Amino acid sequence: MAKEAKTILDLLKEKRVFSPRKDFSENAHVKSESVYKKASRSREAFWEGFAKELDWYKKWRKVLDWKTPHSKWFVGGKINISYNCIDRHINTARKNKAAIIWEGEPGDSRVITYWDLYREVNKFANVLKKLGVKKGDRITIYLPMIPEAAVAMLACARIGAPHSVVFGGFSADSLRDRINDSQAKILITSDGGFRRGSVVPLKKNADEALFGAASIEKVIVVKRVGEKAQIEMKEKRDLWWHELMENAPQYCEPEKMDSEDMLYILYTSGTTGKPKGIVHTTGGYLVGVYATTKWVFDLKEEDTFWCTADIGWVTGHSYIVYGPLANGATSLMYEGAPDYPDRDRFWEIVEKYGVNIFYTAPTAIRVFMKWGEEYPRKHDLSTLRLLGSVGEPINPEAWMWYYVNIGNKKCPIVDTWWQTETGMILITPLPGVTKLKPASATKPFPGIEADVVDENGKSIEVGAGYLVLKSPWPAMLRTIYGDPERYVQQYWSRFPNMYFTGDGAKRDKDGYLWLLGRVDDVMNVAGHRVSTMEVESALVDHPSVAEAAVIGKTDELKGQAISAFVTLKESIKSNSGLVDELKKHVTKKIGAIARPDDIIFTAELPKTRSGKIMRRLLRDIAEGRALGDTTTLADPTIVRQLKDKYEDKEG
Ligand code: WT7
């Protein structure tokens, strides 16, 4: 134990740069830095090269049509994603290769070959068609991490019905909002899901969501937990997945989709109370995720690839389903929690299936670190050859711990920066060529033009500023569903002709990028994106609350934790019961990911003379810093009192 700690400390102190190992580089897809030059000479030719590796019904006329801020990629091309993820492989040696290896939380498992997936997806596509689903109709998917989630997504893609996957941890209210925004026709859910041995009542939530979601005509229910969930099937509306599948025809002709036809909508939190429906289209998205899966993870035919994200987030869309399957890889999917039944569950799975590539979030790594080395040590992790990180900035300590204890000092770590909006990884090492610095996402992927700029949009060569993207990339979002103005306003207005990411970043003298976190009112809680405004709205929705201000405070494990400052209505007295009640209320309105860690009652919130809540000061208070400049406040005594109160509470 002491010995290992010393090694990590030594490595940290050294500020060593980790060069790719020779044996890794020699066998990597990308062996030389020349790809960066080549891509920047002609970005379009670069992406076209990947497009040519896929199967198209009709070739594109033009690679890119760019009228800032609107892009069209592979213009005029016709393609189907489910064909490329499945049919393309079944006439090859991959026919009976595992496409998805699924491990259920209670220990049940399934291996689904490409041939199995072909059969399932075709049948389910026919089920949807029989229920009247047409190209362009939206389908909401609210499922646990079971293979049916991937089957449902691919079946939607097969018939050209955009899917909108809603993370199973979201509440009935959140589900209802997302259904209403997209006006989905069908909802696919399950009787329940397993989480740490108990049952998540998905169908019950769905029933509740459907009061006030009139667009849904049918609900398809997967049986996952059986007797353990008490559910009611509503006649005519609710149908069992397995019954529908029984007589479904075996083949469904894939729809010939235009490159720019919508593939999916995925809701994510923004700086207002209303989540944004990020729209991704077909051709460019597939090219982007295909290319990055292959190069960033150095994916090879024989690899077993495990991305631990949930399918409800973009990471699951791009790197459990579309990217790996387009590459004909074996993608592992795990249903449950990392500590069920014990804290070595992930490592047990790595050993059981001989996982080669493992992709997870810093928040998970920090938890593993806290649990201790004994858990990974119980298992043979020698099959691992590459590790990945995503979702939030990783700290050097966590990077080193991951490198030493999981990667056994032989696996490169790809720290990948991207967003729901970008659809694909944009800043990342290329494992065969990039020298790694612990906790730097290193460089933009070839063909990606990222920059760090100051307030005025001027490029900062060395130093910190705002992260922007200066040219389009194939998997970029095309718009916000139903709100094209918000698309322009949100991403393209802060700096002219640049996509504003909402992140801060620092560039060092070697041109390496270090991500610094969000600079807007978006929090990153355990790798999940949560809007301060959404949590505030949920709090204000409670009858006792007059006003609320929410901030993300630095947290050792979760990156950020949610602190809420709340003023109560005049007749209401604060008490600890009310703290729990408000936490529960937020969980009910949004989901457990948005549950505040602390709630502080205050008679007033610190505001400027123009009435703006000073969140910066609240952050100083929550993180125990000396208060900064308070001269612009309408009433400076308020923060003083609040600070004392907060410190009392902590002490
Ligand atoms: C935000 C996007 C797409 C991945 C899952 C999250 C933060 C993401 C990194 C990284 C530092 C990162 C950014 C970004 N982020 N990856 N490697 N290093 N920060 O997707 O929910 O759309 O959130 O996650 O702040 O803007 P998301």
Side-chain angles (χ1 to χ4, degrees):
M1 165 80 207
K3 192 158 165 266
E4 202 64 61
K6 192 160 163 260
T7 334
I8 293 177
L9 256 164
D10 287 348
L11 291 172
L12 271 175
K13 232 180 354 216
E14 267 185 39
K15 286 201 183 315
R16 197 161 70 165
V17 173
F18 296 81
S19 295
R21 282 174 28 186
K22 197 155 161 277
D23 58 335
F24 191 100
S25 288
E26 275 169 359
N27 297 307
H29 283 302
V30 189
K31 300 178 177 61
S32 144
E33 287 201 305
S34 62
V35 291
Y36 289 99
K37 265 216 188 79
K38 199 171 149 221
S40 65
R41 260 201 308 276
S42 171
R43 255 195 299 275
E44 294 180 25
F46 174 72
W47 292 117
E48 189 169 36
F50 286 106
K52 284 181 182 157
E53 294 179 23
L54 299 169
D55 279 5
W56 298 74
Y57 296 113
K58 187 166 162 244
K59 206 186 158 195
W60 52 94
R61 280 195 312 278
K62 205 173 160 200
V63 176
L64 171 66
D65 180 356
W66 176 233
K67 293 186 189 69
T68 322
H70 302 288
S71 76
K72 289 190 182 130
W73 283 87
F74 306 104
V75 185
K78 301 275 184 214
I79 189 167
N80 183 283
I81 288 194
S82 107
Y83 183 91
N84 274 276
C85 289
I86 309 168
D87 305 40
R88 203 159 79 88
H89 310 305
I90 60 171
N91 296 319
T92 71
R94 290 177 183 147
K95 177 172 161 186
N96 277 314
K97 173 179 176 176
I100 296 173
I101 295 179
W102 174 78
E103 172 90 359
E105 195 188 76
D108 46 345
S109 64
R110 281 169 70 183
V111 176
I112 297 160
T113 66
Y114 275 96
W115 183 250
D116 294 331
L117 191 62
Y118 174 75
R119 205 173 42 236
E120 296 290 299
V121 168
N122 271 282
K123 282 169 73 179
F124 194 65
N126 281 324
V127 165
L128 292 174
K129 273 191 159 171
K130 194 156 175 222
L131 293 176
V133 178
K134 302 261 171 343
K135 181 180 170 188
D137 288 343
R138 278 82 55 217
I139 309 281
T140 300
I141 300 175
Y142 183 61
L143 283 174
M145 284 286 286
I146 52 177
E148 285 79 0
V151 171
M153 289 164 75
L154 290 159
C156 286
R158 195 166 189 91
I159 63 171
H163 53 72
S164 157
V165 183
V166 177
F167 171 55
F170 275 124
S171 67
D173 283 10
S174 295
L175 174 61
R176 183 189 307 117
D177 290 347
R178 285 157 176 77
I179 291 171
N180 285 335
D181 190 79
S182 63
Q183 288 293 297
K185 203 165 164 176
I186 305 263
L187 172 64
I188 303 167
T189 187
S190 71
D191 53 357
F194 291 112
R195 189 78 188 169
R196 294 203 172 88
S198 51
V199 168
V200 185
L202 293 171
K203 174 64 165 68
K204 207 168 136 267
N205 292 349
D207 288 341
E208 199 183 322
L210 292 184
F211 283 111
S215 63
I216 296 290
E217 294 167 9
K218 299 281 177 209
V219 180
I220 302 175
V221 186
V222 180
K223 189 176 260 178
R224 169 62 186 134
V225 299
E227 268 84 75
K228 293 196 179 72
Q230 300 293 317
I231 68 158
E232 274 168 50
M233 294 291 277
K234 193 169 164 188
E235 214 167 323
K236 295 212 176 82
R237 188 195 70 182
D238 300 350
L239 307 158
W240 285 109
W241 170 293
H242 59 274
E243 287 176 6
L244 293 168
M245 289 289 267
E246 244 165 51
N247 301 314
Q250 295 278 343
Y251 180 72
C252 171
E253 182 73 21
E255 192 72 38
K256 294 182 174 61
M257 302 292 283
D258 188 271
S259 285
E260 284 302 323
D261 278 338
M262 200 193 319
L263 172 65
Y264 66 79
I265 306 171
L266 183 58
Y267 288 87
T268 187
S269 292
T271 48
T272 71
K274 190 174 176 289
K276 306 175 283 194
I278 303 302
V279 171
H280 283 294
T281 58
T282 303
Y285 176 81
L286 188 65
V287 170
V289 298
Y290 168 75
T292 47
T293 307
K294 184 168 171 180
W295 278 21
V296 174
F297 300 105
D298 188 42
L299 189 65
K300 305 282 173 48
E301 193 62 51
E302 59 279 12
D303 282 327
T304 296
F305 179 89
W306 183 16
C307 163
T308 69
D310 192 284
I311 270 184
W313 310 111
V314 74
T315 313
H317 283 56
S318 297
Y319 299 106
I320 295 177
V321 182
Y322 293 120
L325 298 181
N327 277 280
T330 298
S331 184
L332 197 141
M333 202 173 159
Y334 168 56
E335 180 183 35
D339 55 352
Y340 191 86
D342 204 353
R343 292 171 167 179
D344 64 342
R345 186 64 189 272
F346 273 22
W347 319 124
E348 182 189 278
I349 294 173
V350 168
E351 181 173 4
K352 179 171 174 189
Y353 298 106
V355 172
N356 306 101
I357 302 167
F358 178 75
Y359 188 34
T360 198
T363 192
I365 299 166
R366 290 191 295 262
V367 169
F368 298 142
M369 236 172 121
K370 195 180 116 189
W371 290 344
E373 286 92 54
E374 61 192 272
Y375 295 102
R377 280 218 194 113
K378 278 190 196 158
H379 298 277
D380 177 3
L381 306 181
S382 62
T383 51
L384 290 172
R385 62 179 197 88
L386 185 137
L387 304 175
S389 169
V390 62
E392 47 180 323
I394 183 168
N395 43 315
E397 295 78 8
W399 196 101
M400 286 309 312
W401 188 90
Y402 196 29
Y403 187 73
V404 172
N405 294 291
I406 307 303
N408 194 23
K409 297 185 219 155
K410 71 171 181 75
C411 302
I413 297 179
V414 290
D415 174 3
T416 63
W417 177 92
W418 57 298
Q419 307 178 303
T420 306
E421 290 88 341
T422 70
M424 62 191 257
I425 293 167
L426 293 191
I427 303 177
T428 175
L430 290 178
V433 302
T434 313
K435 295 191 177 96
L436 305 174
K437 298 187 187 187
S440 167
T442 74
K443 307 235 171 169
F445 190 81
I448 300 301
E449 212 189 341
D451 201 359
V452 178
V453 299
D454 68 14
E455 286 293 332
N456 305 312
K458 208 174 138 282
S459 188
I460 299 173
E461 211 181 316
V462 176
Y466 302 100
L467 181 69
V468 297
L469 299 160
K470 290 183 154 171
S471 58
W473 60 98
M476 69 188 282
L477 79 163
R478 299 303 194 259
T479 189
I480 291 176
Y481 191 74
D483 201 348
E485 281 102 68
R486 191 170 173 198
Y487 166 70
V488 178
Q489 196 272 328
Q490 181 84 48
Y491 304 106
W492 298 91
S493 304
R494 179 73 177 77
F495 304 106
N497 295 317
M498 298 177 209
Y499 170 94
F500 178 42
T501 60
D503 279 16
K506 190 180 83 184
R507 184 163 33 210
D508 70 15
K509 59 180 189 340
D510 300 326
Y512 274 50
L513 297 167
W514 302 74
L515 277 305
L516 303 172
R518 303 287 309 192
V519 295
D520 53 10
D521 290 330
V522 172
M523 297 175 286
N524 192 328
V525 183
H528 299 316
R529 193 157 148 183
V530 183
S531 141
T532 53
M533 288 279 289
E534 257 179 282
V535 181
E536 286 167 10
S537 310
L539 285 165
V540 174
D541 177 77
H542 189 278
S544 303
V545 175
E547 204 176 14
V550 165
I551 54 126
K553 72 165 186 180
T554 307
D555 181 273
E556 215 186 308
L557 288 182
K558 295 194 270 190
Q560 284 189 312
I562 303 177
S563 279
F565 294 81
V566 168
T567 64
L568 295 172
K569 290 192 180 145
E570 260 177 33
S571 54
I572 311 288
K573 286 256 172 315
S574 65
N575 58 67
S576 59
L578 192 54
V579 170
D580 287 342
E581 196 178 317
L582 292 180
K583 287 183 181 177
K584 278 207 192 97
H585 189 71
V586 175
T587 307
K588 182 171 179 330
K589 293 299 283 186
I590 306 175
I593 56 165
R595 179 188 163 95
D597 280 76
D598 5 279
I599 292 185
I600 300 100
F601 295 118
T602 168
E604 270 174 277
L605 290 169
K607 290 184 187 158
T608 61
R609 288 184 198 102
S610 59
K612 249 187 97 172
I613 296 172
M614 297 276 285
R615 285 206 174 71
R616 175 180 59 80
L617 289 175
L618 294 176
R619 226 167 299 159
D620 287 343
I621 292 170
E623 292 175 358
R625 269 191 302 274
L627 293 175
D629 186 7
T630 56
T631 51
T632 53
L633 284 175
D635 180 358
T637 57
I638 293 172
V639 284
R640 201 52 271 162
Q641 283 164 8
L642 249 182
K643 190 169 164 61
D644 293 345
K645 191 161 173 185
Y646 200 90
E647 278 157 11
D648 272 359
K649 182 182 153 292
E650 298 275 285

